[in-house]
Amino acid sequence: MSKLFDIVVAIAEKSKGIGAKNGLPWSIIKCDMNRFAALTSGRSINMQNAVIMGRKTFESINNKPLSSRYNVVLSSQWEYYNKQNSIINLQYTNSLNNALELCENNPKIDNIYVIGGSQIYNEAIQHPKCNRIYQTIIPDELCLEKCDVFFPNIPNK
């Protein structure tokens, strides 16, 4: 059976910004990070959740996979990165469909979450397997940087 996936995103309230200068436009908001971790971390001893992200998002978290999750990074240079990679819970691939297939073929994956960035969100939001979007709305006054990356408009399904 084909698995559905969810999107997790924090968005600036009015601008719909999600990033600035390859990072967050706001300082770390502990309750948002706790919610993100609780949502995307596995809850079962024998299973784990998967997070799918673009290369720039992965770089923004210092090229370190999120612990207790199966991390899939999308990159056009995925073959090169896979040759360099020796981390068990980290896989590179070149498309959202391939990332979903990797997760679906792994019997230990419970839930799948797309966590950014903008290009991946744009593709994911239109994908037929997109189930729901978990949004945290960040008040614009908390933005320390002018956003240069934005969340796409949500299509009517």
Side-chain angles (χ1 to χ4, degrees), residues 9-18 26 29 31-32 35 133-143 151 154:
V9 63
I11 303 175
E13 186 174 20
K14 293 179 184 153
S15 71
K16 305 300 182 217
I18 59 172
W26 44 80
I29 300 170
C31 63
D32 175 52
R35 177 179 185 251
I133 301 171
Y134 292 98
Q135 289 183 32
T136 299
I137 304 299
I138 307 296
D140 286 319
E141 57 269 16
L142 294 181
C143 291
F151 194 74
I154 300 171

Side-chain angles (χ1 to χ4, degrees), residues 99-146:
L100 293 170
E101 188 176 325
L102 282 171
C103 296
E104 289 172 1
N105 290 335
N106 185 333
K108 294 190 178 225
I109 299 300
D110 193 11
N111 298 305
I112 305 168
Y113 298 96
V114 170
I115 62 169
S118 182
Q119 289 178 302
I120 309 306
Y121 284 142
N122 190 44
E123 186 177 352
I125 204 168
Q126 299 175 54
H127 199 283
K129 293 182 183 178
C130 182
N131 185 42
R132 71 176 61 99
I133 301 171
Y134 292 98
Q135 289 183 32
T136 299
I137 304 299
I138 307 296
D140 286 319
E141 57 269 16
L142 294 181
C143 291
L144 305 173
E145 299 278 346
K146 182 174 171 67

Side-chain angles (χ1 to χ4, degrees), residues 1 4 16 49 67 124-125:
M1 174 158 163
L4 300 176
K16 305 300 182 217
N49 291 336
S67 63
I125 204 168

Side-chain angles (χ1 to χ4, degrees), residues 28-157:
I28 299 232
I29 300 170
K30 191 169 183 172
C31 63
D32 175 52
M33 289 298 175
N34 289 343
R35 177 179 185 251
F36 175 84
L39 192 61
T40 62
S41 294
R43 295 181 181 92
S44 170
I45 293 171
N46 298 323
M47 302 288 281
Q48 69 180 163
N49 291 336
V51 289
I52 298 172
M53 68 193 96
R55 178 190 49 82
K56 290 179 185 176
T57 298
F58 188 61
E59 288 173 354
S60 77
I61 58 172
N62 299 316
N63 295 303
K64 293 183 180 173
L66 299 175
S67 63
S68 71
R69 287 156 276 201
Y70 180 69
N71 293 253
V72 182
V73 178
L74 304 185
S75 172
S76 61
Q77 299 178 21
W78 65 280
E79 291 171 316
Y80 166 80
Y81 288 118
N82 274 337
K83 287 178 185 173
Q84 308 302 315
N85 177 31
S86 62
I87 301 170
I88 293 171
N89 284 332
L90 176 61
Q91 182 71 43
Y92 290 87
T93 192
N94 63 344
S95 73
L96 178 60
N97 281 331
N98 287 347
L100 293 170
E101 188 176 325
L102 282 171
C103 296
E104 289 172 1
N105 290 335
N106 185 333
K108 294 190 178 225
I109 299 300
D110 193 11
N111 298 305
I112 305 168
Y113 298 96
V114 170
I115 62 169
S118 182
Q119 289 178 302
I120 309 306
Y121 284 142
N122 190 44
E123 186 177 352
I125 204 168
Q126 299 175 54
H127 199 283
K129 293 182 183 178
C130 182
N131 185 42
R132 71 176 61 99
I133 301 171
Y134 292 98
Q135 289 183 32
T136 299
I137 304 299
I138 307 296
D140 286 319
E141 57 269 16
L142 294 181
C143 291
L144 305 173
E145 299 278 346
K146 182 174 171 67
C147 294
D148 56 15
V149 180
F150 301 89
F151 194 74
N153 290 327
I154 300 171
N156 294 328
K157 287 191 173 184

